[in-house]
Amino acid sequence: MAVRALWWESGKLAYIDQRLLPGRLHVVRTSHVADVAAAIRTLAVRGAPTIGVAAAYGMVLAKAEGRRADASARLLASTRPTARDLFVGIEAVRRPWIAGEDVLEAAGAYRERIVEECHAIGISGAPLFRGKPRVLTHCNAGALATVEWGTALAPIRVAKQRGARPFVWVDETRPLLQGSRLTAWELAQEHIAHAVIADGAAGHFMRAGEVDFVIVGADRIARNGDFANKVGTYEKAVLANENRIPFYVAAPWSTFDISKPTGASIPVEERAEEEVLELAGTRIAPRRSRARNPAFDVTPARYVTGFVTPEGILPPATLAKVLKGHLRPATAA
Ligand code: MRU
C-alpha cells in the first residue's frame, strides 16, 4: 500500500497531519496522549477507522506517561462523538491495560485487525468494479481514513490490481474538503482516473446517466442499517434512489453498533461555525452571519443497496442476523 495514515515508531505515534494535504505531506511524531486527542479533535487525524487506531495507540502513550486507564479513555472518547470506531479502539487497549496485559501488543493487534478487514472489504467489493465503471464517492474513505486500503476506496484499489479501470467522481465535501483535498490526492498518487465535482453537482451527473453506482464509508451503522457518514451523504443517497442508481456503504465490523437500534440514536457531531464561515482561514461570509455545522448526517437503511463488509456484500435486511455473530454489545458511547 502506498499511503499509510499513521504508524508506531520508536515509542511514538507517527501520523500524517491531514489538515495540510495536499499542499504538504507533514509527519508528526508524539509521545503524549493529549497530542493524540488534539489531533483527533482538530481532524489532523481523521476518518472513523483511523481515529480508532490512533486512540488505541493514544492509550499506549497514556500508560507510558503514568496516567490512569479510565481517565485516558475519557479524554480520548471526548474528542469526537459519532465514529463508533473511536470507542472500539479505546476499549481494545483499555481492557488489556486493566488486566495487566501488554498494551502495545493490544494496539498493534487492533491496527492489524482494521487493516486486514479493510483489505477484505476490497476483495468483497472488487467485483462491483469490473470493466470501467463510473462511481461517485463522498468525503474521504481511503487509506487516510482507515490507516491503509480504505473502505470505499479499498475495492477500487483491489479492482485496479486486477486490471479494472474505474473512474471516480469525487465530491469536494464542504466544509473541510476531504474529497478534493484527500480522496483526490490518494487517487492521483495511484493514477486512478477521477474528477472533483462541487457537492451540488452530483445530481446533475446522476441524472445525465454518468454515475453507475455510489460507494461511501460510514462512521456508525445502526442495527437496522441506518448509518451516519459525512454530511451530504444522505442527499446523495436520496438522489441515487431517485435516479435508480445502486448505493453501497463499505465498513469494517468496528463501525457497526448493535446497541443502536436505528439511526435516530446515533450522536451527530456539530462542529465550530468557523469551518463553514471561513475557507482556509479567510472569512467567506458576512461578519454578522452565523452558521450551523453538523459534521455528519444519518441515511435511512432503505436507500442502501448493500453493505460491503469483510465477509461480502450484505443487503440491509440481513444485517441484524449477521451482526449477532460478530459484535459484542456497546462499550462506551
Ligand atoms: O470528519 P471526518 O473527516 O473524520 O469524516 C470522515 C467520514 O465521514 C468518512 O466517510 C468515514 O469516516 C468513513 S471512512 C472509512
Side-chain angles (χ1 to χ4, degrees), residues 139-181:
C139 194
N140 170 261
L144 290 166
T146 65
V147 182
E148 294 181 32
W149 288 105
T151 52
L153 296 197
I156 296 178
R157 291 192 154 110
V158 173
K160 187 179 170 244
Q161 286 173 352
R162 294 177 182 173
R165 303 263 310 278
F167 174 86
V168 187
W169 296 109
V170 178
D171 288 345
E172 63 175 351
T173 317
R174 279 280 293 152
L176 296 179
L177 305 174
Q178 288 93 330
S180 57
R181 293 189 306 105

Side-chain angles (χ1 to χ4, degrees), residues 43 46-49 51 80 83 138-142 145-146 150-152 178 216-219 229-230 250 269 271 295-296:
L43 271 59
R46 51 147 298 282
I51 64 177
R80 299 194 75 189
H138 191 67
C139 194
N140 170 261
T146 65
T151 52
Q178 288 93 330
V216 296
D219 285 81
N229 191 47
K230 180 53 56 194
E269 175 183 12
R271 295 184 62 83
F296 302 97

Side-chain angles (χ1 to χ4, degrees), residues 67-213:
R67 293 182 181 238
R68 291 157 62 133
D70 285 344
S72 307
R74 278 196 300 275
L75 169 69
L76 289 161
S78 70
T79 53
R80 299 194 75 189
T82 303
R84 170 70 176 157
D85 302 62
L86 175 68
F87 307 98
V88 178
I90 293 168
E91 268 312 283
V93 176
R94 194 190 66 88
R95 277 188 202 175
W97 180 344
I98 302 285
E101 293 163 14
D102 186 329
V103 289
L104 183 56
E105 202 176 290
Y110 183 69
R111 178 197 183 286
E112 279 312 298
R113 176 183 134 192
I114 294 301
V115 170
E116 277 169 24
E117 285 190 15
C118 287
H119 186 208
I121 287 168
I123 293 166
S124 298
L128 295 171
F129 288 84
R130 276 198 202 100
K132 292 183 173 181
R134 298 153 306 170
V135 306
L136 182 133
T137 193
H138 191 67
C139 194
N140 170 261
L144 290 166
T146 65
V147 182
E148 294 181 32
W149 288 105
T151 52
L153 296 197
I156 296 178
R157 291 192 154 110
V158 173
K160 187 179 170 244
Q161 286 173 352
R162 294 177 182 173
R165 303 263 310 278
F167 174 86
V168 187
W169 296 109
V170 178
D171 288 345
E172 63 175 351
T173 317
R174 279 280 293 152
L176 296 179
L177 305 174
Q178 288 93 330
S180 57
R181 293 189 306 105
L182 307 177
T183 299
W185 182 75
E186 289 194 38
L187 295 173
Q189 295 249 326
E190 293 175 41
H191 305 283
I192 294 170
H194 64 281
V196 177
I197 57 172
D199 289 327
H204 167 78
F205 289 110
M206 287 188 195
R207 192 146 185 263
E210 295 190 49
V211 179
D212 296 315
F213 63 91

